[in-house]
Amino acid sequence: SLKELKEKMATAMMMQVGETQLEQMDEVEEELTTEETPEEEEKQLNYHHVQDLQNHGISIADVNRLAKAGYCTIESVAFESCKKLSGISGVSEVKIKTIQEVARQYCPCTFSTAAQELQARQNMVQITTGSTALDNLLNGGIETGSLTELYGEFRTGKTQLCHTLCVTSQLSSEQGGGEGKAMYIDTEGTFRPDRLQEIAERFGVDKDEVLENVVCARAYNTEHQTELLKSACGLMSEDRFVLLVVDSATALYRTDYIGRGQLSDRQVHLALFLRQLTRMAMEFGIAVVLTNQVVANPDGNSAFGSKENTLKPIGGNIIAHASHTRLSFRKAKNANRICRVIDSPVLPESEAPFSVSSAGIDDATG
């Protein structure tokens, strides 16, 4: 009958609506299970934001004072000396001890096995230099979590390598990149965004996106240069950076500290600056690349060796001990340059050729 037919049609429509709702619920459930929660995202970070100290009874005022002083992560608080932290205005020594006790619950400052250290090193990233020979020399590229010093005469490719790394650090891991942003502290006025665009075109990445992912600052004196590191820590605690360039690390020290009478003060200030860079490399897992100038070496004798022996990097033993990897650059024929490994905990003393082109660092030409 007509009545029975209407009832069957209504039942079928209800069943169809029910199936549609179930499908929609399944899709929502799938999205929720695949979407990363804030806790899962936090596990992927190598550090904890200093604001997390509020969860353990530390006042927001004290947390803000720590952040203002450049301690933007709990790790930076845990690794710093109590004497240095006590210098923060408004935070008593008693509070500092309490804060450090809480901080060291996040990152225990104790022994670990060699197997654990090996596992940690396997998570480090090598950033390609743009030259196959140079990458082979460096075991894959510039290493994250450490300081790499580049020194040599003018026009040897130091600044060009820094610009190239600002682009390659943004590449995917399959392309030899670090999939993160870059930071550039310029002390000599040699940073050029248009060079980044030329290099980006070579690697097939969007020019505008590359420029947006590089932040830069000009340092005008050694105090300003050190102060910029506080701002750098704040930025790195909020976003993913994989590279910090300081070009050059020593230029301003040559003009701010003049004469042997100020040599001791210069070396102390430089040591504190380098210590801060080392701390940042460890905390954020970034590659720190700093360039260095050279001066004539009176003890060198070009008659019994290469011209390289007549030049020595500025900074003496302070910068020599702070740098994990020291690379010496020198000129070769035409656009070619030579990079030599001077010191490294893992790399043998060797050298490799490369070239400087409009597209950045590249393989040596014939």
Side-chain angles (χ1 to χ4, degrees), residues 12 29-30 53 66 106 118-119 122-123 212 221 232 242 253 264 269 274 282-283 286 292 298 301 322 340 345 356:
E29 184 178 358
E30 185 178 353
L53 290 175
L66 289 170
Y106 280 83
L118 178 62
Q119 180 63 36
Q122 289 175 346
N123 295 329
E212 287 294 329
N221 55 66
V242 293
Y253 284 92
S264 177
H269 196 283
L274 294 171
M282 179 175 61
E283 284 176 31
I286 60 172
N292 194 4
N301 191 342
R340 183 175 183 82
V356 179

Side-chain angles (χ1 to χ4, degrees), residues 272-311:
L272 292 174
F273 176 73
L274 294 171
R275 179 184 176 184
Q276 175 78 339
L277 290 177
T278 303
R279 195 194 79 185
M280 293 172 64
M282 179 175 61
E283 284 176 31
F284 301 107
I286 60 172
V288 176
V289 177
L290 51 95
T291 66
N292 194 4
Q293 299 177 348
V294 294
V295 293
N297 181 15
D299 298 328
N301 191 342
S302 59
F304 297 97
S306 64
K307 184 180 179 181
E308 188 178 13
N309 296 330
T310 66
L311 300 173

